[in-house]
Amino acid sequence: MIATAAAPEYGAYVALLDREHAASGADGDRTAAGGAGLVPLLAVLVPFLAGIAALLLLALGYGLRAAGGIAIAGPLIASGLIAAGVCVAALVVAVVGLLLTAVRGGSASRGGRVAEARAAWRSALRDRGVLPYLRRQLADQAPGDGGGGDATSEPPGRESV
């Protein structure tokens, strides 16, 4: 009885929720079944691995140069600098992608419509379902039924000992 008072709003909310799941299902099947996808994976792993490689190669190259000028020290340092450049470039690309995603905000606007529909349903449920029910319950309770509540009376359902 209470829930049927807000049935139209609930229907609209469920329909919008189903459309959102269907729309994200076309794009999100890959994420649900097999992970996040290749681009986000590369955006995380490339800077991380390139940074580790740069640190190791530079440490080894400079260490070998300081130890006695071994011929391989120069190529190790050059490789370390290249890896550092790859790390910086990958970080820049990842940050730009993150900023573009935040500016675009596609999922947030769709989620906003779902949140608005949910709020409308909850408001209708409160205004046309719960509040009228509570008012009827208060109206049914006559002042002589213990609803007046003087300080000496016991709460309903309790008996004095």
Side-chain angles (χ1 to χ4, degrees):
M1 181 162 107
I2 293 174
T4 57
E9 286 83 1
Y10 182 72
Y13 168 61
V14 169
L16 188 59
L17 202 58
D18 287 341
R19 273 185 281 163
E20 292 300 316
H21 285 300
S24 67
D27 298 333
D29 283 342
R30 182 180 58 208
T31 61
L38 185 62
V39 174
L41 181 71
L42 290 177
V44 171
L45 284 180
V46 169
F48 179 73
L49 293 176
I52 290 175
L55 286 174
L56 290 175
L57 290 170
L58 287 172
L60 235 130
Y62 283 121
L64 288 174
R65 179 189 283 174
I70 300 176
I72 195 149
L76 282 175
I77 292 172
S79 298
L81 292 175
I82 290 172
V86 168
C87 176
V88 169
L91 277 173
V92 168
V93 169
V95 167
V96 167
L98 182 65
L99 289 176
L100 288 176
T101 301
V103 167
R104 196 174 16 188
S107 63
S109 66
R110 288 193 306 241
R113 289 193 303 261
V114 171
E116 288 174 9
R118 183 173 185 254
W121 165 58
R122 292 179 71 181
S123 176
L125 187 63
R126 180 193 63 226
D127 295 341
R128 295 194 311 252
V130 174
L131 289 178
Y133 172 78
L134 292 175
R135 287 185 186 114
R136 279 193 307 273
Q137 293 301 315
L138 287 174
D140 289 346
Q141 196 174 43
D145 292 344
D150 62 313
T152 60
S153 66
E154 293 290 324
R158 294 208 175 178
E159 299 191 21
S160 0
V161 181

